[in-house]
Amino acid sequence: MIEVQGKGGQIQFDGQYVTITRKGLLARSIVGKGEKRLHISQIASIQWKPAGAIVEGFIQFGVPGGVERRSQFGSQTQSARGDENSVLFTKKQMPAFEELRKALDVAIAQQHAPQQPTGAQSPSLADELAKLGQLMQQGILTQAEFEQQKARLLGGQ
């Protein structure tokens, strides 16, 4: 579990869900008190702005169907401050947020990676019977051997 505390919000990541929690007067006055949970499959993008010496940074989660608007130059942090999918952080808090971002990048990449087969798939019964029939037609198997293998296959169901 990764937990990071920012300005006006906290983020928890348990490997599957990102939970943004807001508590206190600052959160109520800007975004509203409460909690928002996003499964990693719901996160379409992560916008990141590093904190500077006097300017706060932020992490913002884009979701499919979300209404995102482009901030004007110089007002990105101000726009993120009022966004329910964003949490601001100071330069001192930034290393913890960078670790969160790395963990999310890995989890999202794994979520979208093609699934590897768990093992070699066994051929279907029809495929096995067709192969036996071809071997018999080619003279490799006798009729008796074919019938024996066919019975073995059909008996194994």
Side-chain angles (χ1 to χ4, degrees):
M1 170 87 70
I2 298 174
E3 292 184 30
V4 294
Q5 181 67 44
K7 292 196 70 176
Q10 174 183 336
I11 301 176
Q12 293 177 329
F13 177 56
D14 65 5
Q16 292 292 314
Y17 287 92
V18 171
T19 305
I20 302 170
T21 308
R22 304 203 189 270
K23 299 175 185 174
L25 182 62
L26 179 63
R28 277 191 210 121
S29 65
I30 297 173
V31 180
K33 184 178 176 182
E35 180 179 287
K36 182 168 189 174
R37 284 183 55 139
L38 298 168
H39 188 268
I40 56 171
S41 64
Q42 295 173 290
I43 299 173
S45 64
I46 298 175
Q47 186 172 348
W48 173 264
K49 180 182 176 211
I54 57 172
V55 179
E56 297 164 335
F58 65 85
I59 188 167
Q60 182 178 46
F61 304 104
V63 294
V67 180
E68 296 177 10
R69 64 184 179 103
R70 194 112 172 117
S71 300
Q72 294 179 349
F73 180 75
S75 66
Q76 286 180 309
T77 303
Q78 190 61 31
S79 295
R81 184 178 310 279
D83 183 78
E84 68 180 3
N85 295 332
S86 300
V87 174
L88 278 62
F89 53 84
T90 64
K91 190 163 183 80
K92 184 178 178 180
Q93 296 167 326
M94 190 164 66
F97 276 84
E98 287 174 328
E99 289 302 314
L100 169 68
R101 180 180 168 202
K102 287 177 189 174
L104 286 167
D105 285 344
V106 169
I108 290 169
Q110 288 175 348
Q111 180 77 22
H112 296 291
Q115 297 296 320
Q116 298 296 324
T118 55
Q121 292 182 345
S122 59
S124 71
L125 179 61
D127 290 339
E128 287 292 320
L129 289 173
K131 286 180 190 176
L132 288 174
Q134 288 175 349
L135 291 173
M136 185 182 72
Q137 287 177 350
Q138 294 170 355
I140 298 171
L141 291 179
T142 64
Q143 180 70 34
E145 291 170 327
F146 170 79
E147 293 298 329
Q148 181 185 17
Q149 292 299 320
K150 178 180 167 186
R152 179 185 62 83
L153 287 172
L154 294 174
Q157 290 185 1

